[in-house]
């Protein structure tokens, strides 16, 4: 009998390129390579080869080097190394070994995705202690695709110096401009190094802080990672709640909640009475315990965002500060209801829970939440509803999160009652919470591992003392020894004076608060007969007047144009400033270094009854402070740029310093102004398509930040068209927050990620609500201008709408035509001048 013909379904080599299009953040790609190193140590331990120095070294070149096409990203683990078969399995897309339960590298595609997104070429060098040589493979994606073959040569090379055992992955040949992954490696290299180490320190915290025998050291650019530590109260601290007794501030657990048999070949569940896997008929299997271990506890401070539970798999934190899985409840009608925090906007329940048995998605961004393993774990950790009102009669929720919820859901009474730092307020006669500034100082000391702050000793002192009324100091009478109240001026025991003063007329001692002398009846309130000068308008007023007779300013009011007051009511703006600049004068000589500090100020009126001015300057040797009123007509209507007038102020200062050049051609304020503008603000003032787009995006960011607080924004989501919803989804995906869309819609926070066209359309339909809320202008009412109000309102709203739509259209299409650029820039300047 002839055999049936077969088909060759080996995938095209372009599959490797397709994998590089998988959405992934740069730091996640780096973690994928670190995970492989950690798995190498686990594999060695499982084979009985414990390694004494478990070290992973990561090297990331500067972003500038990557942009020049130079450098390489290296991850070198001091593991046992790989043989030829192990090296082949590492590079084979889709390979998954038998031990899929104890490792981080859960999917064989992870290595290919991570390396392929970072660069076009990957070189893997590996060596084992017992071998005299090392193996090296070069995976060049463009070459593989052009040759249409997955076969890559394996080189046998002498062991590099110092390379006794382990595996090194080197990635270079960065993707060129125009490719979907162009700039991917530069994003990783350009990340703030401190923030990157902090992120990695949290992701690998449990591995970094394990016992000495199992600790893995990870060094990034010669800086060791330090494990993240939660700032929580110790397990000895507790609160008391009726019906619950003492609820500790930290609850630890380590329980097997279920067991199952799993196939070693494909991971399928095998029934206890089955002799082989029902999916692949394999007879190799192992028992997998669903062990949930870790802790949940109470942070020493509450916060709008810094709370939630870290979820860990095999030492790698998969979810940081998870909230929805444990603080939301799926009610009887299938609605996801937020249960914590609801009594206030801040939360403080944190934790670190290990769920080694639950599978994760192939990008290791989340656990697979549709599995039975996830459902059982969540039920153990938080139970059903956290609210007793949702419990069936005679039932209770004794899960760890539920116990913390019952004890610490509210922060109403600082002190031991709610376990929160506070102080006794004598004026209010009760305990009040400590200031946020003190909390921040304590937390900074915690991060510095200071004794008393790293543990909770000094924190607890402010908890215990918060509800304790200070003991009054009762002064004793020097004559009879009687203890009087602190405010007493005359002794209750012998009538002797305790707190006294001399009479201004007869000099006899009288009670401190006495208004009239009991001996000579002279008033003790001195008369002030001097007139006072108004700091606002300079007028002199009689002593009896509490307000200025000329400008009506309240007595003691500061001059609104004084430097001291302007600095407290204005915002320093780096875009209006420069430090230590020198400029060439008409004779070719350079000026002394000049520093200009620019501020965005409110209305500037040098005279209380005069006109407002666009700028006010204060000069001192080598330094000028310039305050700019951006809403002044010179900017909003005439098109003058603030930098132009700031440069004029600086130019006038430099012109006066060189009196020896007076009368010479080129020595003028205008010429010096042009020199300053060209040297300092040439790029900002040139209305290029790029700068205009950046300015428009910044404008819409400021608008959306305020707009999310509007009452009608949540309902407006339903009015977004298909393009606007897709644009919103793309932006949420790019920052990894698509799963929060429901909550963002409910709160209105989604508008922060909406495109300019959506924001402009919100103004089109709800424009009246923007005035006085986003714009500094208010719409006229019939009460103020009569029947003309409707026409005036329509005209004003129309001006703003046209400017918004011009900016939104330009942000989307960015025409290079100079007239279009100028129109978009003018619209942006107008809107910037009127935004609150």
């Amino acid at each position: 009998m002839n055999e049936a013909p077969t088909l060759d379904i080996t995938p095209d080599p372009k599959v490797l390129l397709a994998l590089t299009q998988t959405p992934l953040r740069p730091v996640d790609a780096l973690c994928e390579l670190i995970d492989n190193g950690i798995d190498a140590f686990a594999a060695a331990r499982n084979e009985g080869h414990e390694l004494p120095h478990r070290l992973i070294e990561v090297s990331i070149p500067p972003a500038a080097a990557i942009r020049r096409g130079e450098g390489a990203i290296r991850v070198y683990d001091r593991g046992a190394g790989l043989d030829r078969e192990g090296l082949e399995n590492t590079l084979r897309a889709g390979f998954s070994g038998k031990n899929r339960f104890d490792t981080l590298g859960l999917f064989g595609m992870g290595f290919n995705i991570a390396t392929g997104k970072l660069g076009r070429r990957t070189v893997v060098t590996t060596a084992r202690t017992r071998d005299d040589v090392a193996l090296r493979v070069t995976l060049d994606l463009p070459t593989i695709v052009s040759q249409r073959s997955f076969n890559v040569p394996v080189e046998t090379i002498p062991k590099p110096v110092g390379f006794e055992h382990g595996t090194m992955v080197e990635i270079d040949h960065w993707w060129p401009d125009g490719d979907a992954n162009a700039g991917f490696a530069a994003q990783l290299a350009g990340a703030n190094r401190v923030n990157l180490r902090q992120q990695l320190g949290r992701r690998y915290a449990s591995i970094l802080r394990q016992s000495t025998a199992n600790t893995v050291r990870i060094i990034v650019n010669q800086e060791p990672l330090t494990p993240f530590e939660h700032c929580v109260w110790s397990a000895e601290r507790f609160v008391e709640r009726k019906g619950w007794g003492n609820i500790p501030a930290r609850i630890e657990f380590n329980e097997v909640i279920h067991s199952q048999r799993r196939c070693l070949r494909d991971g399928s569940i095998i029934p206890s009475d089955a002799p082989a896997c029902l999916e692949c008929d394999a007879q190799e299997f192992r028992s997998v315990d669903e062990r949930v271990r870790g802790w949940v506890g109470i942070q020493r401070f509450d916060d709008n965002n810094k709370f939630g539970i870290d979820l860990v798999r095999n030492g790698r934190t998969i979810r940081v500060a998870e909230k929805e899985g444990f603080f939301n409840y799926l009610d009887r009608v299938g609605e996801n209801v937020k249960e914590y925090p609801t009594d206030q906007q801040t939360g403080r329940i944190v934790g670190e829970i290990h769920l080694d048995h639950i599978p994760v998605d192939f990008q290791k961004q989340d656990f697979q939440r549709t599995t039975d393993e996830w459902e059982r774990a969540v039920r153990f950790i938080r139970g059903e509803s956290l609210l007793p009102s949702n419990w069936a009669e005679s039932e209770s929720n004794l899960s760890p999160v539920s116990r913390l919820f019952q004890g610490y859901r509210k922060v109403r009474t600082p002190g031991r009652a709610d376990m929160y730092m506070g102080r006794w307020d004598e004026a209010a006669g009760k305990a009040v919470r400590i200031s946020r500034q003190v909390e921040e100082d304590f937390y900074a000391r915690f991060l510095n591992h200071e004794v008393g702050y790293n543990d909770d000793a000094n924190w607890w002192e402010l908890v215990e003392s918060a509800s304790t009324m200070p003991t009054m100091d009762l002064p004793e009478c020097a004559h009879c020894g009687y203890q009087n109240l602190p405010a007493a001026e005359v002794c209750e025991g012998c009538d002797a004076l305790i707190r006294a003063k001399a009479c201004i007329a007869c000099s006899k001692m009288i009670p401190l608060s006495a208004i009239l002398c009991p001996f000579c009846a002279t008033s003790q309130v001195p008369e002030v007969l001097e007139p006072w000068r108004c700091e606002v308008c300079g007028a002199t007023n009689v002593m009896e007047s509490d307000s200025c007779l000329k400008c009506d300013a309240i007595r003691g009011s500061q001059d609104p144009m004084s430097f001291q007051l302007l600095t407290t009511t204005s915002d320093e703006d780096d875009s209006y400033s420069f430090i230590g600049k020198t400029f060439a004068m008409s004779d070719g000589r350079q000026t002394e270094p000049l520093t200009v500090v620019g501020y965005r100020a409110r209305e500037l009126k040098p005279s209380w009854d005069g006109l407002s001015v666009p700028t006010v300057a204060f000069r001192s040797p080598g330094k000028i402070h310039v305050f700019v009123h951006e809403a002044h007509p010179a900017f909003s209507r005439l098109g003058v740029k603030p930098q132009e007038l700031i440069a004029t102020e600086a130019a006038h200062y430099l012109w006066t310093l060189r009196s020896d050049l007076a009368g010479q051609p080129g020595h003028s304020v205008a010429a010096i102004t042009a020199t300053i503008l060209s040297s300092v603000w040439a790029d900002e003032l040139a209305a290029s398509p790029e700068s205009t787009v950046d300015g428009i995006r910044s404008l819409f960011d400021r608008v959306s930040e305020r707009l999310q607080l509007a009452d009608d924004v949540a309902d407006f989501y339903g009015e977004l068209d298909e393009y606007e919803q897709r644009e919103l989804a793309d932006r949420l995906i790019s920052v990894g927050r698509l799963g929060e869309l429901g909550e963002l819609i409910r709160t209105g926070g989604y508008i922060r990620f909406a495109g300019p066209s959506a924001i402009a359309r919100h103004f089109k339909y709800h424009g009246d609500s923007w005035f006085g809320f986003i714009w500094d202008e208010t719409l006229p009412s019939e009460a103020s201008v009569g029947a003309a109000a409707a026409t005036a309102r329509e005209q004003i709203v129309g001006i703003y709408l046209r400017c918004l739509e011009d900016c939104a259209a330009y942000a989307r299409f960015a025409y290079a035509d100079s007239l279009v650029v100028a129109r978009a820039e003018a619209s942006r300047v107008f809107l910037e001048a009127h935004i609150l």
Side-chain angles (χ1 to χ4, degrees), residues 414 420-423 432-439 442 462:
Y420 210 91
M421 295 191 300
R423 61 178 179 81
V432 296
R433 67 177 293 158
I434 210 70
S435 71
R436 289 292 186 189
Q437 184 176 353
V438 173
E439 289 180 5
F442 273 46
L462 292 185

Side-chain angles (χ1 to χ4, degrees), residues 257-323:
I257 61 174
H258 190 74
S259 293
Q260 54 183 251
R261 291 198 305 168
R262 287 276 187 172
C263 175
L264 285 179
R265 179 181 297 176
D266 62 16
S268 300
I269 297 177
I270 303 176
S272 58
D273 56 350
C277 176
L278 301 180
E279 298 293 332
C280 67
D281 206 34
Q283 296 182 356
E284 292 182 280
F285 52 84
R286 64 174 284 184
S287 177
V288 177
D289 289 337
E290 296 185 13
R291 180 179 296 276
V292 180
R293 63 184 177 89
W295 60 272
V296 289
I298 301 301
Q299 196 167 239
R300 299 177 204 169
F301 58 89
D302 60 358
D303 191 84
N304 286 313
N305 187 53
K306 292 179 182 176
F307 67 96
I309 300 172
D310 290 355
L311 301 181
V312 185
R313 191 188 195 280
N314 293 329
R316 156 87 176 272
T317 301
I318 302 297
R319 296 289 293 174
V320 172
E322 170 65 30
K323 300 176 179 63

Side-chain angles (χ1 to χ4, degrees), residues 554-568:
I554 298 175
R555 183 174 182 173
S557 298
Q558 286 183 272
D559 179 5
M561 289 294 101
S562 67
F563 177 75
Q564 291 75 14
L565 191 57
L566 282 175
T567 54
T568 62

Side-chain angles (χ1 to χ4, degrees), residues 11-20 87-96 107-113 115 139 141 150:
D12 190 281
K14 290 182 179 179
V15 168
L16 286 177
L17 281 182
L19 289 178
T20 68
L87 181 57
E88 180 181 18
N89 291 336
T90 296
L91 300 177
R92 188 191 308 163
F95 174 80
S96 183
F107 295 89
M109 293 184 294
F111 177 87
N112 300 89
I113 295 172
T115 56
L139 190 67
L141 290 180
F150 279 106

Side-chain angles (χ1 to χ4, degrees), residues 280-507:
C280 67
D281 206 34
Q283 296 182 356
E284 292 182 280
F285 52 84
R286 64 174 284 184
S287 177
V288 177
D289 289 337
E290 296 185 13
R291 180 179 296 276
V292 180
R293 63 184 177 89
W295 60 272
V296 289
I298 301 301
Q299 196 167 239
R300 299 177 204 169
F301 58 89
D302 60 358
D303 191 84
N304 286 313
N305 187 53
K306 292 179 182 176
F307 67 96
I309 300 172
D310 290 355
L311 301 181
V312 185
R313 191 188 195 280
N314 293 329
R316 156 87 176 272
T317 301
I318 302 297
R319 296 289 293 174
V320 172
E322 170 65 30
K323 300 176 179 63
E324 182 175 350
F326 302 106
F327 303 144
N328 285 24
Y329 170 62
L330 199 64
D331 64 13
R332 295 181 180 87
V333 297
E335 183 178 352
N336 203 7
V337 181
K338 180 180 178 181
E339 293 186 324
Y340 175 86
T342 54
D343 296 283
Q344 57 265 334
Q345 296 298 314
T346 54
R348 52 179 178 152
I349 296 178
V350 296
E352 184 177 281
I353 301 178
H354 296 255
L355 304 173
D356 298 342
H357 62 283
I358 301 180
V360 299
D361 59 33
F362 79 96
Q363 291 179 310
K364 300 180 194 170
Q365 300 297 300
D366 201 357
F367 289 87
Q368 294 183 14
R369 303 196 181 206
T370 58
T371 60
D372 292 337
E373 292 94 331
W374 172 264
E375 293 291 338
R376 283 190 287 265
V378 171
R379 194 176 304 115
F380 170 81
I381 296 166
R382 66 146 285 153
E384 298 297 333
S385 175
L386 301 177
L387 298 174
S389 58
N390 290 333
W391 300 347
E393 189 174 352
S394 75
E395 289 187 1
S396 59
N397 184 352
L398 300 179
S399 67
V401 169
S402 176
R403 292 177 65 197
L404 293 182
F405 177 82
Q406 311 309 326
Y408 303 90
R409 62 183 284 191
K410 302 175 183 178
V411 181
R412 292 183 176 174
T413 309
R416 296 199 61 170
D418 286 339
M419 197 180 294
Y420 210 91
M421 295 191 300
R423 61 178 179 81
W424 182 264
D425 189 323
E426 294 187 14
K430 63 178 182 180
V432 296
R433 67 177 293 158
I434 210 70
S435 71
R436 289 292 186 189
Q437 184 176 353
V438 173
E439 289 180 5
E440 292 172 3
D441 176 63
F442 273 46
Y443 187 54
R445 295 183 173 204
F446 167 84
L447 296 176
N448 289 332
H449 299 280
E450 293 186 26
V451 177
Y453 296 92
N454 188 249
D455 58 37
D456 63 9
N458 290 350
W459 301 70
W460 187 251
E461 287 183 6
L462 292 185
V463 171
E464 289 198 311
S465 63
S467 53
T468 303
M469 184 184 301
T471 303
M472 289 193 302
D473 184 17
L474 303 178
E476 289 188 0
C477 176
H479 297 83
C480 68
Y482 185 87
Q483 285 190 323
N484 294 271
L485 293 175
E489 296 180 349
V490 178
C491 176
E492 291 288 336
C494 66
D495 292 331
L497 290 176
I498 300 175
R499 301 168 66 222
K501 64 182 178 182
C503 171
I504 62 175
C506 66
S507 300

Side-chain angles (χ1 to χ4, degrees), residues 466-645:
S467 53
T468 303
M469 184 184 301
T471 303
M472 289 193 302
D473 184 17
L474 303 178
E476 289 188 0
C477 176
H479 297 83
C480 68
Y482 185 87
Q483 285 190 323
N484 294 271
L485 293 175
E489 296 180 349
V490 178
C491 176
E492 291 288 336
C494 66
D495 292 331
L497 290 176
I498 300 175
R499 301 168 66 222
K501 64 182 178 182
C503 171
I504 62 175
C506 66
S507 300
K508 291 184 178 180
M509 300 306 295
I510 60 177
L512 185 64
S513 62
I515 298 176
L516 293 176
C517 175
F519 302 103
C520 66
T522 300
S523 172
Q524 301 301 301
V525 180
E527 278 190 71
V528 180
L529 302 177
E530 294 80 16
W532 57 275
R533 181 181 181 276
C534 176
E535 294 295 330
V536 176
C537 68
T540 301
N541 297 271
V542 297
M543 182 273 297
E544 293 83 0
S545 178
D546 292 328
S547 60
C548 178
L549 300 178
K550 183 178 181 180
C551 69
D552 206 33
I554 298 175
R555 183 174 182 173
S557 298
Q558 286 183 272
D559 179 5
M561 289 294 101
S562 67
F563 177 75
Q564 291 75 14
L565 191 57
L566 282 175
T567 54
T568 62
T569 59
S570 305
D571 298 317
E572 189 172 331
D573 193 331
D574 290 341
S575 67
Y576 292 164
S577 308
F578 58 83
I579 301 175
K581 289 278 188 180
T582 61
F583 306 97
M585 302 298 281
S586 60
D587 62 349
R589 294 170 57 189
Q590 293 286 325
T591 66
E592 293 294 322
L594 176 64
T595 293
V596 169
V597 182
Y599 302 80
R600 287 185 288 108
R602 299 170 186 171
E603 187 176 25
L604 299 172
K605 293 181 67 175
S607 175
W608 71 274
D609 58 348
L611 298 176
S612 64
V613 295
T615 61
V616 169
F618 295 87
R619 303 176 183 178
S620 58
K623 194 169 189 178
I624 306 175
H625 294 266
V626 184
F627 297 85
V628 180
H629 178 213
E630 294 179 330
H632 191 275
F635 305 125
S636 60
R637 294 177 186 159
L638 301 181
V640 177
K641 303 294 178 61
Q643 291 89 339
E644 294 173 346
L645 295 192

